[in-house]
Amino acid sequence: MSTAQTVTRTITAHSDSYAITAAGTLQPQNDYLRIENVGSTTIVGPKIVVNGAPDWSTIDSILAEIISPGMTNDEKARAIWQFARTAHDHWWLPSALTHEGYDPVNYFNVYGYGFCGNVAAAMAALYDHVGQPSRVYNPQAYYDERWNGHAVPGAFYDGAWHMFDADLDIVFLKRDNHTIAGVEDLMDDPGLVTRAGPYGSLASLYGGSPKGR
């Protein structure tokens, strides 16, 4: 048997917070949550954290979970990819009418699912924020007849571009078996893809000539 309750709270302080305890023996189900500004201040920034969940309400708070002090440029780039590949689920467009599904806060904090172009754009914003210029290889925006439709982000650091594909959960190494290859490297040397075991069939995805944003 479920129980229902309505909780109303007026928040007056900037750092005010409160917890809701549900009665009964079942897990609480939140039917809806409404936040209404009834004061005279026109600019407010409410933040909701549920049951100790990660705070991904800003780009800075997302990166605070990903980046550790003293990381190298390569470690930062790999850490962002690791975060994105676990926080992303390939399913459907987050929003067909707006570009909010390309923003990292909306994408990771609200949706968590999307297509390759969504997670690529969200990752690019994170790379930009840590000082690594980014490019999104996206044929819909930068057409090339040899590019087959898959979008991936590129991060620039240590004097070169590097490709991190969170949607297909893969990166490819250069011939030194350490450095993350860029899309141009994969175009110049398709063997970097075909040698990657079961991922070798993805070679056609990276065989075009994309134009960065």
Side-chain angles (χ1 to χ4, degrees):
M1 181 177 180
S2 62
T3 60
Q5 62 178 308
T6 300
V7 178
T8 302
R9 173 70 178 269
T10 300
I11 300 176
T12 58
H14 177 70
S15 60
D16 198 2
S17 64
Y18 68 97
I20 298 175
T21 302
T25 58
L26 298 178
Q27 291 294 323
Q29 177 177 337
N30 182 39
D31 291 328
Y32 69 89
L33 175 66
R34 182 175 68 188
I35 299 177
E36 181 181 2
N37 179 17
V38 296
S40 59
T41 302
T42 57
I43 300 177
V44 294
K47 177 167 46 177
I48 301 171
V49 178
V50 180
N51 294 336
D55 179 6
W56 295 347
S57 59
T58 66
I59 292 181
D60 286 329
S61 64
I62 292 174
L63 288 172
E65 181 176 324
I66 301 172
I67 304 301
S68 300
M71 277 186 169
T72 65
N73 288 328
D74 185 60
E75 289 170 339
K76 290 178 183 178
R78 292 174 188 244
I80 290 173
W81 172 69
Q82 290 284 0
F83 165 80
R85 62 190 284 264
T86 57
H88 156 77
D89 185 33
H90 182 98
W91 183 59
W92 198 249
L93 287 173
S95 175
L97 300 179
T98 71
H99 286 84
E100 66 178 34
Y102 298 96
D103 174 81
V105 173
N106 287 325
Y107 187 74
F108 295 117
N109 189 49
V110 179
Y111 295 102
Y113 63 85
F115 287 158
C116 56
N118 300 112
V119 68
M123 291 175 65
L126 297 181
Y127 287 130
D128 286 336
H129 211 71
V130 297
Q132 298 178 354
S134 69
R135 298 191 297 185
V136 175
Y137 297 89
N138 188 336
Q140 294 179 345
Y142 305 99
Y143 177 77
D144 185 280
E145 64 275 8
R146 295 181 297 165
W147 187 246
N148 79 338
H150 184 51
V152 291
F156 188 87
Y157 60 90
D158 295 346
W161 287 100
H162 310 269
M163 187 278 292
F164 295 87
D165 190 341
D167 186 62
L168 294 181
D169 200 20
I170 187 68
V171 295
F172 298 97
L173 300 179
K174 292 186 177 182
R175 292 293 174 178
D176 64 4
N177 292 322
H178 175 75
T179 306
I180 302 292
V183 170
E184 291 87 353
D185 299 314
L186 302 179
M187 291 189 298
D188 293 339
D189 186 358
L192 298 176
V193 181
T194 57
R195 70 174 182 162
Y199 291 98
S201 60
L202 301 178
S204 62
L205 292 178
Y206 309 106
S209 179
K211 306 171 186 177
R213 67 176 174 87

